[in-house]
Amino acid sequence: MKRITSLFLALVMCITAFAFTASAAEIKFNDVKETDWFYGDVMSAVDMGLINGKGEGVYAPNDNLIYAEAAKLAACMHQLYMEGVVTLKNGTANWYDTYVDYCVDNGIITKEYNYNEKATRAGYMVIFAHALPDEALKAVNNVPDNSIPDVPTSSAYSPEVYKLYRAGILQGSDEIHSCKPHENIKRSEVAAILSRMMDDTKRVKFSTGKEEQKPEEQKPEEQKPEEQKPEETKPLAIKTQPVSVMVNVGETAELKVEVEGGKEPYTYQWQKTVTITKSVTSDFVDEEGKYEGAKTDTFKITLASAGSIKAISCKITDAEGNTVTSEVATLTFVGEEENKETEEDSSASARPSSPTKPTTSIALAIKTQPEGTTVKTGESATLSVTAEGGKAPYTYQWEYYARYKKSASWSKIDSATENEVSVSQVSAGNVKYRCVITDAEGASVTSEECTVTWEDNGFLMYVEDVFSIQGRGTVLTGKITYGEIKTNDTVYIVSADGTKTEAVVTAIEMFNKIIDEASAGDNVGLLVPSVEKTAVARGNALIKADSDYKITTTVIGTLTLLSKSDGGLSSKIESGYQAQFYYASYDETGTITLPAEGLEPGATLEDVKVVLKDKLPRFLGQTFEIKIAGRKIGIFTVTEVKSLFTRPSTTTRPSTARPSTTRPSATPTT
């Protein structure tokens, strides 16, 4: 935790919008008094060069900041913490593009914002809660769920708000620690948040529970058994790293790793890491002898065509569950033509020189261009490219052009360095891709652009809360997952037993304003007068008649268990294991069936079957948090949905909605 304190001063290098070199002693603000609650934070932030006044003698503590500034601050804090230096610069088309791109690539921002819009307290907190890793935001306060008066745990932003409260970054705006999530963030509050984010000695201690948590008092007792361990026991470590090799096509390439320390026996798992918008590690599985030794200390593979496999590493686990991962290595397979050229070059160097005959060579060119495609959200699209001419071997670098970028610039897809790449995303939209190919002599050529279109399955919203307005009817609140909704649209409410109830949405409200339509990502309230409040429960789903979701209890996907050090389980799980699966506003019991004998903490396994309790709409890419007794132990992402969606039958209860009444018009919020 002390690391962030030592890095604090360097943050001034990137925050040019707030930079000021004078000390607080040299500045006096007429609108910041010593009696103000934020006085100390403002002076401290000025001293460290993070913020300054808006004019001579004016700090303007009640002025609001915008989302673009939030993204810049978060990006700089994250890069400084992870790399020890800030290299980010302002963009060209929009000054904030560079920072927004960095935040998206590193999982700090996961939704679209209007970056020139004033930031709400909840919106700013959601960004800041992901600006530093969990290790830098450890809980120091006892803040039980639902103890913040205006932030129920059912709200979409509650995990981030509670995280910052528990870490001592936030303490609320009154005696009962109210958050006021929908108000805009002020300069006074930003000063306090920055100060506490980057200096753990300034974090506030308080409790909203009955008893204070005192984790530090138990530390000496937990450390005693470790002092009794034999000194000769060495930690698990890599003794010999795998080394990249190059072999002929058709020959067997081999990587070997050696470990020491820990407790035997060891288990091995060779794996490959691919980064699209985030790093994803997949295990090699020895199927039909293709990947020999995938679970041993020696990994072997044979390819029938020229190419390379990069970012290969081995994860080793000892008998006590300790793990270590080797450095990455590359396997390269070259064809006979390259070898002949090498042999001819060697023999030619031994012969007397003679007049050089001009040689004809084919210029490096794209032979097969990548082709665009259309897939459903959550599904993967595979793109491929082939080259000819030049001098092999070739190297490949795939690039993408994201929707949120305003300038005509391309970003590299880390580790996407083969002639084939698999891309996916869980939100609807279009993304352009291309591949830059370079031969052994440095010549390069860029493929044509191709577009991958992800289509959602139609409107979907999970109900977070249900209440009634006297004289108007039932209101369903929640965050729209996919699609859009308009006034007077017909929806179907899917209950936990799979029953569908027809209703008409007669009004849509967002942030206390009546609007005509809303789309994915919006938190809305939908008025459905024809439905009784008692007929709908939290966790029920809303879809339209043309939605193409599958209503089922059974899904297949990828299961990742947290390691013990990250708060996960201490032992492996077996088939039949039951836990609570959380998504959006609801949770339900799920039973896990594994394709293998067991899954250890910290490991990832594909093709895991989960049977959930409720019959609700499921979709590819849907990600559940898995918890036991409120403690997160893993993540499950859906890759296949069983049982087809059945459209509502004519026996579905018809809507008796009243006609919509005249109301003031409002500009739709996007």
Side-chain angles (χ1 to χ4, degrees):
M1 183 69 78
K2 299 299 181 184
R3 173 187 176 191
I4 57 178
T5 305
S6 64
L7 294 174
F8 193 14
L9 289 175
L11 191 60
V12 68
M13 296 174 61
C14 83
I15 312 177
T16 57
F18 305 95
F20 199 75
T21 57
S23 68
E26 298 171 327
I27 298 176
K28 182 165 180 65
F29 295 127
N30 299 325
D31 52 357
V32 178
K33 301 177 182 178
E34 293 186 10
T35 55
D36 290 334
W37 67 267
F38 49 81
Y39 175 83
D41 294 317
V42 171
M43 294 299 104
S44 176
V46 171
D47 259 341
M48 290 179 281
L50 293 178
I51 54 178
N52 66 320
K54 302 188 75 173
E56 186 174 354
V58 178
Y59 173 68
N62 293 319
D63 278 9
N64 303 125
L65 295 187
I66 61 176
Y67 281 108
E69 295 166 331
K72 180 172 184 176
L73 292 171
C76 292
M77 284 191 290
H78 183 274
Q79 189 182 48
L80 182 61
Y81 185 91
M82 300 303 294
E83 301 177 15
V85 63
V86 176
T87 59
L88 296 172
K89 304 292 183 183
N90 285 357
T92 53
N94 294 304
W95 69 265
Y96 53 81
D97 281 345
T98 305
Y99 309 102
V100 172
D101 294 347
Y102 181 92
C103 287
V104 172
D105 290 342
N106 288 279
I108 301 171
I109 292 178
T110 58
K111 60 171 287 185
E112 289 284 349
Y113 291 95
N114 180 351
Y115 290 102
N116 291 309
E117 187 179 66
K118 293 178 181 179
T120 64
R121 290 172 58 85
Y124 202 91
M125 294 169 192
V126 167
I127 296 174
F128 264 39
H130 298 287
L132 297 179
D134 290 343
E135 65 185 27
L137 294 173
K138 292 182 179 179
V140 297
N141 296 321
N142 177 27
V143 184
D145 287 351
N146 293 312
S147 62
I148 303 174
D150 51 358
V151 184
T153 54
S154 60
S155 59
Y157 47 79
S158 66
E160 289 81 5
V161 174
Y162 277 87
K163 179 179 182 179
L164 295 180
Y165 266 71
R166 289 163 180 159
I169 308 298
L170 305 177
Q171 60 178 337
S173 56
D174 52 31
E175 294 181 354
I176 58 174
H177 304 288
S178 298
C179 176
K180 299 180 181 179
H182 301 302
E183 293 185 2
N184 296 122
I185 191 76
K186 298 178 180 179
R187 287 171 60 87
S188 57
E189 296 167 310
V190 171
I193 293 175
L194 283 175
S195 178
R196 296 167 193 165
M197 287 284 288
M198 300 307 294
D199 187 352
D200 61 315
T201 64
K202 296 183 179 295
R203 298 184 181 179
V204 291
K205 303 288 183 68
F206 63 94
S207 174
T208 59
K210 294 182 179 180
E211 297 182 0
E212 284 282 354
Q213 295 178 341
K214 300 179 180 180
E216 296 180 359
E217 296 179 358
Q218 299 178 358
K219 286 184 178 179
E221 296 180 4
E222 295 174 352
Q223 293 173 354
K224 286 181 180 180
E226 296 180 1
E227 296 175 356
Q228 299 174 358
K229 291 183 178 180
E231 295 182 357
E232 62 271 17
T233 302
K234 295 182 180 180
L236 182 65
I238 302 292
K239 183 178 180 181
T240 304
Q241 298 284 358
V243 179
S244 299
V245 296
M246 178 184 293
V247 299
N248 295 326
V249 169
E251 294 180 351
T252 299
E254 182 178 294
L255 295 178
K256 186 175 179 62
V257 67
E258 185 179 2
V259 295
E260 61 183 0
K263 185 177 180 180
E264 297 186 32
Y266 306 128
T267 58
Y268 302 81
Q269 179 59 66
W270 290 88
Q271 55 195 11
K272 180 177 70 171
T273 300
V274 177
T275 302
I276 307 300
T277 56
K278 61 178 182 179
S279 293
V280 178
T281 299
S282 59
D283 294 341
F284 286 105
V285 179
D286 188 7
E287 297 178 350
E288 301 178 356
K290 183 176 181 181
Y291 302 120
E292 183 181 352
K295 295 183 178 295
T296 69
D297 63 343
T298 303
F299 177 66
K300 301 178 181 179
I301 182 174
T302 304
L303 291 186
S305 58
S308 62
I309 304 177
K310 298 187 176 182
I312 301 175
S313 61
C314 186
K315 181 178 180 181
I316 301 98
T317 306
D318 70 4
E320 294 181 338
N322 301 308
T323 62
V324 64
T325 301
S326 72
E327 297 176 356
V328 297
T330 299
L331 297 179
T332 302
F333 295 83
V334 297
E336 295 180 358
E337 294 180 1
E338 295 96 292
N339 293 327
K340 288 180 179 178
E341 290 176 2
T342 302
E343 293 173 358
E344 290 173 0
D345 291 342
S346 299
S347 60
S349 63
R351 296 193 300 266
S353 60
S354 57
T356 303
K357 294 182 179 180
T359 59
T360 58
S361 60
I362 302 175
L364 180 65
I366 302 294
K367 183 178 181 181
T368 305
Q369 299 284 356
E371 297 183 359
T373 185
T374 299
V375 294
K376 293 290 186 181
T377 51
E379 294 181 350
S380 296
T382 299
L383 307 175
S384 63
V385 64
T386 59
E388 61 183 356
K391 183 176 181 180
Y394 306 131
T395 59
Y396 304 85
Q397 179 59 67
W398 287 89
E399 300 177 339
Y400 72 102
Y401 181 82
R403 288 188 304 159
Y404 54 79
K405 292 184 178 179
K406 307 300 181 183
S407 59
S409 60
W410 290 79
S411 296
K412 293 181 180 179
I413 304 176
D414 295 337
S415 299
T417 53
E418 300 179 22
N419 71 317
E420 187 173 277
V421 65
S422 179
V423 294
S424 65
Q425 67 177 39
V426 297
S427 58
N430 303 319
V431 180
K432 293 181 180 179
Y433 296 91
R434 70 183 186 185
C435 186
V436 179
I437 304 174
T438 306
D439 71 2
E441 295 180 336
S444 63
V445 63
T446 302
S447 74
E448 295 178 357
E449 300 173 9
C450 68
T451 300
V452 178
T453 301
W454 280 274
E455 295 181 339
D456 61 46
N457 296 319
F459 178 74
L460 173 64
M461 185 185 96
Y462 290 93
V463 177
E464 291 187 6
D465 199 4
V466 185
F467 60 90
S468 297
I469 299 178
Q470 188 173 6
R472 298 195 69 189
T474 301
V475 175
L476 311 178
T477 66
K479 181 177 181 180
I480 299 175
T481 303
Y482 285 129
E484 60 181 21
I485 189 73
K486 296 180 181 179
T487 305
N488 295 325
D489 277 354
T490 298
V491 297
Y492 294 92
I493 303 169
V494 183
S495 302
D497 61 359
T499 302
K500 305 174 210 58
T501 303
E502 182 180 330
V504 174
V505 177
T506 61
I508 306 171
E509 182 174 307
M510 185 167 66
F511 297 124
N512 298 319
K513 293 182 180 180
I514 298 296
I515 59 178
D516 294 323
E517 60 182 37
S519 57
D522 292 338
N523 286 287
V524 297
L526 305 180
L527 180 64
V528 285
S530 65
V531 178
E532 297 293 333
K533 176 183 177 182
T534 55
V536 188
R538 177 178 175 176
N540 289 177
L542 271 65
I543 59 175
K544 290 184 181 179
D546 59 355
S547 296
D548 193 24
Y549 295 99
K550 299 177 182 179
I551 298 177
T552 182
T553 60
T554 306
V555 290
I556 307 295
T558 301
L559 173 62
T560 299
L561 294 182
L562 298 182
S563 64
K564 182 179 179 181
S565 61
D566 290 332
L569 300 171
S570 58
S571 59
K572 69 178 181 179
I573 67 171
E574 304 284 354
S575 291
Y577 188 85
Q578 289 189 333
Q580 291 300 113
F581 285 72
Y582 287 73
Y583 180 79
S585 60
Y586 73 96
D587 65 281
E588 55 186 317
T589 302
T591 302
I592 298 171
T593 301
L594 303 175
E597 292 186 0
L599 184 62
E600 298 284 352
T604 297
L605 187 61
E606 299 178 350
D607 298 326
V608 175
K609 176 182 177 182
V610 174
V611 178
L612 299 160
K613 178 176 68 70
D614 298 332
K615 296 179 180 178
L616 290 173
R618 317 290 183 184
F619 55 91
L620 297 179
Q622 187 174 17
T623 300
F624 294 86
E625 286 193 350
I626 307 172
K627 297 183 179 181
I628 293 292
R631 176 166 63 105
K632 181 179 175 180
I633 64 166
I635 295 174
F636 178 78
T637 302
V638 176
T639 58
E640 182 182 353
V641 181
K642 299 293 185 180
S643 179
L644 292 175
F645 166 77
T646 304
R647 299 188 183 278
S649 64
T650 55
T651 59
T652 302
R653 188 175 69 176
S655 169
T656 57
R658 299 171 300 200
S660 60
T661 57
T662 304
R663 61 186 186 282
S665 61
T667 302
T669 301
T670 57

